[in-house]
Amino acid sequence: MAVTRTFSIIKPDATRRNLTGGVTKMLEEAGLRVVASKRIQMTKEQAEGFYAVHKERPFFNDLVSFMISGPVVVQALEGEDAVKRNRDVMGATNPADAAEGTIRKTYAESIEANSVHGSDSDENAAIEIAYFFKPEEIVG
Ligand code: RTP
Ligand code: MG
C-alpha cells in the first residue's frame, strides 16, 4: 500500500472542548502522521471557498457559520492509504450512524458539529492541503 497524504480539520466544536489532543491521538493511533499543523480562525471567505462544492446544499450557510464560529486546526496527514485510513477512523458524517471507536462516535455533537473533516479522494486531498499550506510548511 502506498504512503499518501490527506487533509484534516479539527472543527470548532472540538477545539472549544479542548479536544485537539484527543482527536490527534486517535489519528496517530490509526497510523497517520501529522506532517503539517496550524490553529487558525477561518474567515467567511475561506470557509465558503473551502466548501464551494456544497454551495447549493441546504446546509451550506449553517456549515460556513459553524466553521467560522471558533478556531480550527488544519492538518496534513501522511500514512498508508491515508484518505481511506482517515475516513475509517473519522466514522460516518452523522455521529448517530458512526461505528464504535471512531472519532465522531467518541466526540461529535451532531451531524454538523461532527468534530473533524477529512478529504474524500487523493485529488481533493492535494487541493485541500494546498488551500491551507505552503509546500515548505509540510515536513514529511
Ligand atoms: P467532511 O467533508 O467534513 O469530512 O464530512 P463528510 O464528507 O462526512 O460530509 P459532507 O457530506 O462532505 O458534508 C460536509 C459537512 O457538512 C456538514 N453537514 N451538515 N445539516 C446537515 O444535514 C449536514 N450534512 C452535512 C457536516 O459538518 C459535514 O461534515
Ligand atoms: Mg466531505
Side-chain angles (χ1 to χ4, degrees), residues 3-73:
V3 173
T4 59
R5 287 179 178 172
T6 191
F7 176 74
S8 169
I9 304 178
I10 303 175
K11 293 185 178 183
D13 67 285
T15 62
R16 186 180 305 120
R17 288 175 289 150
N18 206 23
L19 293 171
T20 295
V23 170
T24 302
K25 185 166 192 284
M26 291 183 77
L27 295 170
E28 291 178 340
E29 284 173 350
L32 294 159
R33 180 180 299 273
V34 179
V35 295
S37 183
K38 58 187 168 188
R39 178 175 165 104
I40 61 168
Q41 171 64 53
M42 260 200 243
T43 65
K44 184 160 181 281
E45 292 66 32
Q46 243 177 339
E48 286 173 347
F50 182 74
Y51 282 118
V53 294
H54 292 314
K55 66 174 179 296
E56 306 306 330
R57 306 278 283 276
F59 59 78
F60 178 75
N61 287 330
D62 285 347
L63 175 59
V64 168
S65 298
F66 166 61
M67 291 300 289
I68 65 173
S69 68
V72 299
V73 177

